[in-house]
Amino acid sequence: MNRRKFITNTSATSAFVGLGGLTLGSCSQDKPTKITILHTNDVHSHIDPFPSDHSDFPNLGGLARRATLVDNIRKENPNTLLFDAGDIFQGTPYFNFFGGELEFKLMNMLKYDAATLGNHDFDNGVEGLLAQIPNAKFDLLSANYNFSNTTLDGYTKPYKTYTLNNLKIGVYGIGIELKGLVTKRLYKETEYLNPFEIATDIETQLKEVEKCDLIICLSHLGYEYANEQKPDDLTLASKTKHTDLIIGGHTHTFLEKPTVVKNAIDRDILVNQVGCFGINLGRVDFYFDGATNTQSQGVSIKV
Amino acid sequence: MNLKITHFVIFITIGFLTSCSESPKKLIQIEGKQIPIDTSYAETDSINDYIKPYRNRINEVLDSTLAYATHKISKEDGLYNTSAGNLIADIIKIQANPIFKSRTGNNIDFVLLNHGGIRSIISKGAVTARTAYEVMPFENTIVVVELNGKSILDLVQYLINTKRAHPISGAQVILSKNNKLKTLNIQGKPFDNTKTYFVATSNYLVNGGDNMGFFKDGLNVSETDYKIRNAIIDYFKKVDTLSPKVDNRYYKIK
């Protein structure tokens, strides 16, 4: 049914049209629904901003400033989610002294929705991570680490869904192979599963079973490797079918803007990574049109 | 008027059905960007207040004076051995040997580190735990590797080839004018290639860091779980002054 015609035919007075417009607006035909995804990666316990005499990042970063920025964006768009792509821990004495407690508690204060695990999040072992989990009010998402034979079993989820303004958003986590990066004594019996196979399984479940409108991967694989055998985000993007955005980490890659990659069914999707140490906040806005007779075929990507 | 109200009710009912429940929402546009977190954003006071006690505790511990340096200690003040390299290698030997001996009954024969692993000078004056974090920011641990005679000679050849002041302690290496090994003493005794030696180093180097391939041929590897930085801090707490010198533990005859 053509709703625009319906409105024209039934509106008897101009007052009527005004009221109708209001109703329609809330149901998102004229004004698209905007979902804002904010993200960090590889913050590495950088809670304070860099000092003004730092040679690489003078006066940049800092949790208290990030909090202001995130808060401003949430006020502008309440349909906002905030994620981290791992390596929350290790890099300043805050971690050496408090084992990640402050990192997690501050992430709660910024209302992080979820994070995936980076290799450095195992730096105090599975026990050290487990000890901090009660301090996290956000979810730890990890689909390709099997923790069944560790004390972390049951404390992470492969994915999580969020419903904002009638839109369902599915988010899953993918981690890097720990062997060679982290000593076995720390990650213990954590089993690493093929990230590509797990990602395509989980995204299919999010699309077909969970009926998600938007699917996001939090990945700590790394942006790109010269060694083709080593899984990276660009390859992951090219193998997925339903994932709309890969939020990456590990390689501390400062992208000027998100990278557009063709996925397995030739659709353009985004891979983003915002360097490290809380220097940048990534922001990706997704606009959804509620109309059945939408004029635009395909998605316009502005980066 | 009644007619108008009826119209309105029908209108919103159908409106809800069509746009909110039945029609799938379609992704039409994506915008992405990076936002630098710079001084244009004010700090949120509640966050800063929450961090403050943690920050104060760290500063209190890191900045309390543990020892005094009588002069600037640097890894650039010698060609084959340096004041900073000698200090850190000596610290590893002094701090790790009691642990290694109590676990294995053996003594550490000598220490080898990498020149690049020393990340900062120690300035003249007060020395704090923060100094140890600057010198050794990594979480590397002390590992003891048992090497046979051939591997020891590979190790010396590595020193000769890299031409860098890789820190050592417990051994003396003297090179001839034409860059050949002239003298190798370990624990004050001439090198015996039929013996095996216990070499303390960092887990980074044992795992292939700085291409120290000879560690791959180690007969036994003992992880002490003692962080190099903690060994440095423990040593700073034990002594009053630091005055390491460039000496004759490793040099080339002119």
Side-chain angles (χ1 to χ4, degrees):
Chain A
M1 168 179 235
N2 187 326
R3 283 171 22 76
R4 281 189 186 280
K5 272 185 193 154
F6 178 80
I7 294 164
T8 316
N9 293 344
T10 53
S11 56
T13 67
S14 60
F16 223 125
V17 177
L19 280 166
L22 251 177
T23 315
L24 281 171
S26 69
C27 288
S28 324
Q29 181 182 12
D30 294 343
K31 200 174 146 211
T33 302
K34 178 162 87 172
I35 302 292
T36 297
I37 304 298
L38 302 178
H39 60 94
T40 51
N41 59 275
D42 299 275
V43 177
H44 282 294
S45 306
H46 282 267
I47 285 162
D48 294 324
F50 281 90
S52 54
D53 61 355
H54 193 271
S55 51
D56 290 339
F57 309 119
N59 280 323
L60 291 175
L63 252 294
R65 280 191 204 135
R66 197 196 310 158
T68 305
L69 172 57
V70 168
D71 201 43
N72 291 346
I73 294 169
R74 285 192 202 278
K75 278 177 191 151
E76 171 205 318
N77 183 14
N79 297 318
T80 293
L81 294 170
L82 174 59
F83 299 113
D84 186 275
D87 277 6
I88 295 163
F89 292 170
Q90 190 73 268
T92 71
Y94 283 109
F95 178 67
N96 306 95
F97 276 62
F98 306 111
E101 172 195 326
L102 186 59
E103 288 83 334
F104 277 4
K105 285 182 171 174
L106 291 171
M107 286 171 77
N108 295 339
M109 291 174 82
L110 268 70
K111 299 189 183 68
Y112 268 81
D113 292 286
T116 196
L117 295 169
N119 46 302
H120 281 289
D121 299 316
F122 292 90
D123 279 0
N124 280 347
V126 288
E127 277 80 13
L129 178 56
L130 179 66
Q132 296 307 330
I133 286 180
N135 291 320
K137 290 182 184 157
F138 50 91
D139 290 290
L140 292 173
L141 304 181
S142 176
N144 70 322
Y145 290 146
N146 176 7
F147 292 118
S148 307
N149 294 321
T150 74
T151 48
L152 278 175
D153 190 30
Y155 289 93
T156 65
K157 295 176 183 152
Y159 68 84
K160 168 124 176 162
T161 63
Y162 305 84
T163 304
L164 296 179
N165 210 23
N166 252 347
L167 285 161
K168 196 166 178 187
I169 299 137
V171 183
Y172 64 100
I174 292 290
I176 193 169
E177 182 163 23
L178 298 172
K179 190 182 163 192
L181 270 183
V182 180
T183 36
K184 167 91 171 145
R185 177 174 59 82
L186 297 175
Y187 68 83
K188 298 213 159 139
E189 298 306 315
T190 303
E191 188 191 358
Y192 165 80
L193 307 172
N194 184 308
F196 299 147
E197 287 171 16
I198 297 291
T200 47
D201 285 355
I202 298 279
E203 63 162 11
T204 304
Q205 169 148 1
L206 288 171
K207 189 73 189 176
E208 289 171 6
V209 182
E210 298 280 358
K211 308 280 184 209
C212 288
D213 299 289
L214 181 65
I215 298 174
I216 296 168
C217 173
L218 306 179
S219 159
H220 201 77
L221 290 177
Y223 180 71
E224 185 179 22
Y225 299 109
N227 175 359
E228 285 178 15
Q229 301 304 308
K230 198 170 173 182
D232 61 31
D233 290 337
L234 294 184
T235 315
L236 176 65
S238 73
K239 288 179 183 284
T240 56
K241 289 183 182 145
H242 308 294
T243 301
D244 297 287
L245 168 66
I246 296 174
I247 294 171
H250 188 62
T251 43
H252 297 197
T253 308
F254 283 90
L255 296 173
E256 274 179 36
K257 53 187 188 175
T259 308
V260 181
V261 183
K262 288 249 184 272
N263 75 359
I265 50 171
D266 224 29
R267 180 164 70 92
D268 285 334
I269 69 162
L270 291 188
V271 174
N272 204 14
Q273 189 177 147
V274 290
C276 54
F277 308 151
I279 302 295
N280 293 309
L281 181 72
R283 173 173 182 167
V284 183
D285 293 307
F286 292 90
Y287 294 84
F288 287 84
D289 193 339
T292 46
N293 61 332
T294 178
Q295 315 95 313
S296 60
Q297 298 300 315
V299 182
S300 100
I301 297 180
K302 294 180 183 173
V303 291
Chain B
M1 191 64 200
N2 276 346
L3 183 69
K4 284 179 188 171
I5 290 167
T6 311
H7 274 176
F8 179 67
V9 170
I10 292 167
F11 171 74
I12 58 167
T13 308
I14 296 174
F16 267 116
L17 277 174
T18 51
S19 75
C20 290
S21 305
E22 287 177 356
S23 57
K25 295 192 177 182
K26 189 178 175 338
L27 181 59
I28 52 169
Q29 188 181 320
I30 308 171
E31 282 176 31
K33 60 179 171 183
Q34 331 286 27
I35 309 169
I37 299 174
D38 56 27
T39 48
S40 65
Y41 301 100
E43 299 197 326
T44 299
D45 290 339
S46 60
I47 300 281
N48 241 341
D49 292 345
Y50 196 84
I51 298 170
K52 206 170 280 169
Y54 292 86
R55 187 188 290 134
N56 291 347
R57 172 68 185 149
I58 288 173
N59 290 345
E60 190 185 298
V61 172
L62 289 187
D63 293 331
S64 54
T65 300
L66 302 177
Y68 286 89
T70 57
H71 54 86
K72 174 180 143 181
I73 300 167
S74 159
K75 66 167 183 175
E76 309 293 347
D77 57 5
L79 212 52
Y80 288 92
N81 74 88
T82 68
S83 59
N86 293 349
L87 174 70
I88 304 303
D90 289 347
I91 289 174
I92 301 294
K93 190 151 184 298
I94 293 164
Q95 293 300 121
N97 196 54
I99 296 168
F100 181 66
K101 186 160 192 198
S102 74
R103 289 185 194 163
T104 66
N106 297 309
N107 282 301
I108 293 170
D109 290 301
F110 70 99
V111 175
L112 171 69
L113 299 172
N114 61 327
H115 187 246
I118 295 173
R119 308 300 288 185
S120 170
I121 58 158
I122 298 175
S123 297
K124 181 181 173 177
V127 173
T128 64
R130 193 181 295 281
T131 312
Y133 275 87
E134 288 164 1
V135 171
M136 184 62 222
F138 311 119
E139 302 300 313
N140 295 341
T141 55
I142 301 168
V143 173
V144 183
V145 185
E146 186 178 9
L147 292 179
N148 66 16
K150 185 193 170 291
S151 296
I152 296 291
L153 290 174
D154 289 344
L155 182 159
V156 172
Q157 194 56 47
Y158 174 91
L159 290 177
I160 294 170
N161 294 346
T162 52
K163 297 186 176 69
R164 289 185 78 182
H166 292 301
I168 61 171
S169 174
Q172 187 183 34
V173 180
I174 304 172
L175 305 182
S176 66
K177 272 183 189 169
N178 57 358
N179 251 348
K180 294 275 187 292
L181 177 63
K182 185 171 183 295
T183 307
L184 174 58
N185 291 319
I186 297 172
Q187 289 295 308
K189 291 176 194 155
F191 165 69
D192 175 352
N193 77 5
T194 64
K195 275 187 63 178
T196 66
Y197 292 92
F198 294 98
V199 184
T201 184
S202 111
N203 62 339
Y204 167 74
L205 299 173
V206 173
N207 293 323
D210 252 5
N211 298 312
M212 293 198 183
F214 46 86
F215 280 128
K216 279 204 286 281
D217 303 323
L219 307 171
N220 275 299
V221 178
S222 313
E223 170 61 73
T224 64
D225 290 326
Y226 193 12
K227 284 183 183 173
I228 292 177
R229 185 176 52 243
N230 288 342
I232 296 171
I233 292 169
D234 291 343
Y235 180 82
F236 288 171
K237 284 179 182 166
K238 263 194 336 203
V239 301
D240 292 329
T241 55
L242 304 175
S243 53
K245 305 259 180 321
V246 176
D247 56 25
N248 64 356
R249 67 182 72 191
Y250 178 26
Y251 68 97
K252 183 173 149 183
I253 294 168
K254 284 180 183 160

